[in-house]
Every structure is written in structure tokens, then in C-alpha cells.
Amino acid sequence: MAIDLQQIGKRFRFYTNLKELEMEDLKAMTGSDEETLSHIIYGRNIVLDELVTIIKNFKDLNPQWLIYGEGSMFKPMDENGNCHDHQKGCLKKDKAAYLKQMKDMLIELDAAEVAKGHKPDIDALKAKLDQLKATE
């Protein structure tokens, strides 16, 4: 399976937006400079070693999803239901705002995948989000 740097960038941006992480947060959490982080966020000139080093700092981020778009964005919670991200905690947004942002970002990711001729399970994810929204 080929690695698409632009898709990695979009997924990483999706994750950091969802977690409400600004560039200063990313620099502090990873110890990386702004140029390296910008290259990853915008999907250009990514050095694999730098990407791996950065991924290690996000305990809840599923690297398989980030790199290949497979599986869930987040690693499973532990058996106690605890969030893996001890530095930032769990999501700060209310559920409705979170679901709306997720849906908007899924639409953006879906458009990018369709433009490349891929048809992932985005429709299934959208249906789950609609289901969650309906249960509020």
C-alpha cells in the first residue's frame, strides 16, 4: 500500500484540530520545530524518522489510521475507559460541536479520497455520526 503524504497531513490536521492543538502546543509536546511540524501538517517533505518520533508523543493516535487511513483515529481506551492523552486530557468540546466538526472533516477527507479514486468506509462513519447525533 502506497503512503500518501498529503493524506497523512490531512489526517494529522484532522486529529490536531479535533484535539484543539495549536502549533505552540505541538512544538511543546513533540520537541520538534515549526518547519518540521508544518511539513507534516501540509503533507510535504515528510521524513519518516521525524513522523515516527512525533507519533510517539500522541499516545491516543492510531499510527495505522494516520499513515494508511485504516481503522479508528484513536487507539482503544484502556479497560477503565481512561483517555490515553494524559497531557491534554480528553476532548474539551461538547458532544454536538464535536460531532459537527467530525462530520465536516469527514466530508473533506471523503472528497480527497474520491478525487483520488478511493472509496473508503466514509459513508459508514457518517452514518455512525448521524446515529450518535440522533441519540442526543
Side-chain angles (χ1 to χ4, degrees):
M1 177 176 284
I3 294 175
D4 184 331
L5 299 180
Q6 288 185 331
Q7 289 298 89
I8 290 171
K10 285 181 182 181
R11 285 189 284 271
F12 190 63
R13 233 178 11 257
F14 181 75
Y15 171 82
T16 57
N17 286 338
L18 199 63
K19 299 290 282 196
E20 299 177 338
L21 299 171
E22 301 293 329
M23 183 60 77
E24 293 305 314
D25 298 321
L26 295 174
K27 286 172 25 181
M29 291 172 71
T30 64
S32 295
D33 60 55
E34 189 166 341
E35 183 178 10
T36 299
L37 290 165
S38 289
H39 283 206
I40 291 170
I41 288 169
Y42 295 105
R44 57 180 189 264
N45 302 326
I46 297 175
V47 176
L48 190 56
D49 289 343
E50 292 171 347
L51 181 62
V52 169
T53 300
I54 288 170
I55 289 173
K56 288 179 183 178
N57 290 289
F58 300 98
K59 304 294 184 210
D60 65 343
L61 179 60
N62 178 356
Q64 188 75 15
W65 174 81
L66 179 66
I67 296 170
Y68 300 108
E70 296 174 353
S72 172
M73 176 189 330
F74 297 106
K75 290 179 184 173
M77 290 185 176
D78 65 22
E79 58 276 353
N80 299 321
N82 293 324
C83 189
H84 284 256
D85 189 351
H86 302 293
Q87 290 178 328
K88 281 296 272 187
C90 291
L91 297 173
K92 294 185 273 183
K93 294 182 189 304
D94 65 71
K95 188 175 179 183
Y98 167 76
L99 290 173
K100 182 188 180 329
Q101 185 177 13
M102 275 289 265
K103 191 166 190 168
D104 292 345
M105 292 178 128
L106 281 171
I107 290 168
E108 182 184 334
L109 283 171
D110 187 35
E113 288 291 321
V114 169
K116 291 190 160 281
H118 302 139
K119 188 61 180 161
D121 291 337
I122 299 291
D123 293 333
L125 291 171
K126 285 180 189 173
K128 284 183 183 179
L129 284 171
D130 289 338
Q131 214 173 25
L132 286 170
K133 213 174 199 179
T135 61
E136 291 186 344

